[in-house]
Amino acid sequence: AILSCMAYIDLNPIRAGKARTPEESEFTGAYQRIKAAKVTTRQKASGRPSIWLPPIEEIFQRNGKATLTLSEYLLVLDRTGRQLARGKKGAIPKELRPILERVSIQPDNWLQSSGRFRRMFPRVAGKVEAMRQAAECCGRQWFKGVTAAARCF
């Protein structure tokens, strides 16, 4: 139900013919999340939050595990937004490249991290800031996988 509501809201500007894509749909959660995902590693390392919304993974979490990632949510939006809804003016043009390519989120990095997860993140996984906080809590300076986290998350 939450996913359906989020997609409905995030696709409203497209359906109304005010925007062509989620990354052009200002004033939506999708726009803010895409913008935050593009923030450089250096900006992320500063510790300043780049987004006021909770990460998708926190919204869709069950038993301590994320059941939906930002990449997966963007794919849902992309595929749903390409369908012309009855009585609506717009849809994402079918000829556009997939959203992950358009917003420079590397699907290969995601696939690599999910396929080699244990090797890349033997103890802790997550955003760089979260990994640094976890290391500090454990009295360590760092955990293996920070570079991979910067690339993947």
Side-chain angles (χ1 to χ4, degrees):
I2 292 171
L3 178 63
S4 179
C5 181
M6 287 174 62
Y8 174 81
I9 292 167
D10 286 337
L11 291 171
N12 266 340
I14 295 164
R15 299 289 190 229
K18 303 289 182 190
R20 288 178 31 149
T21 64
E23 62 270 25
E24 296 171 356
S25 301
E26 290 188 68
F27 313 112
T28 66
Y31 177 87
Q32 293 295 319
R33 287 184 169 91
I34 291 166
K35 187 175 167 186
K38 290 177 155 185
V39 172
T40 66
T41 304
R42 179 185 228 175
Q43 289 169 312
K44 287 180 182 180
S46 72
R48 283 177 279 149
S50 58
I51 187 170
W52 59 271
L53 296 169
I56 292 286
E57 293 82 358
E58 286 181 17
I59 296 170
F60 295 98
Q61 194 167 46
R62 176 172 283 168
N63 300 325
K65 295 182 180 178
T67 57
L68 187 73
T69 66
L70 176 61
S71 296
E72 291 167 335
Y73 178 64
L74 292 178
L75 286 172
V76 167
L77 276 186
D78 195 57
R79 290 182 181 147
T80 305
R82 289 175 189 270
Q83 308 302 313
L84 187 59
R86 191 174 349 142
K88 301 296 180 181
K89 295 178 184 177
I92 297 172
K94 294 188 185 311
E95 69 275 3
L96 287 183
R97 293 176 299 142
I99 192 167
L100 296 180
E101 291 176 29
R102 292 193 317 263
V103 300
S104 300
I105 293 176
Q106 299 299 319
D108 291 341
N109 290 342
W110 166 253
L111 292 173
Q112 182 183 23
S113 73
S114 60
R116 298 177 42 208
F117 191 83
R118 279 191 175 189
R119 202 169 329 144
M120 293 172 73
F121 308 104
R123 293 204 169 131
V124 177
K127 291 185 176 182
V128 172
E129 309 89 67
M131 290 182 71
R132 287 191 175 130
Q133 288 173 354
E136 190 175 306
C137 287
C138 295
R140 297 178 64 138
Q141 290 192 358
W142 61 279
F143 280 114
K144 181 179 179 186
V146 171
T147 302
R151 209 175 43 244
C152 297
F153 306 121

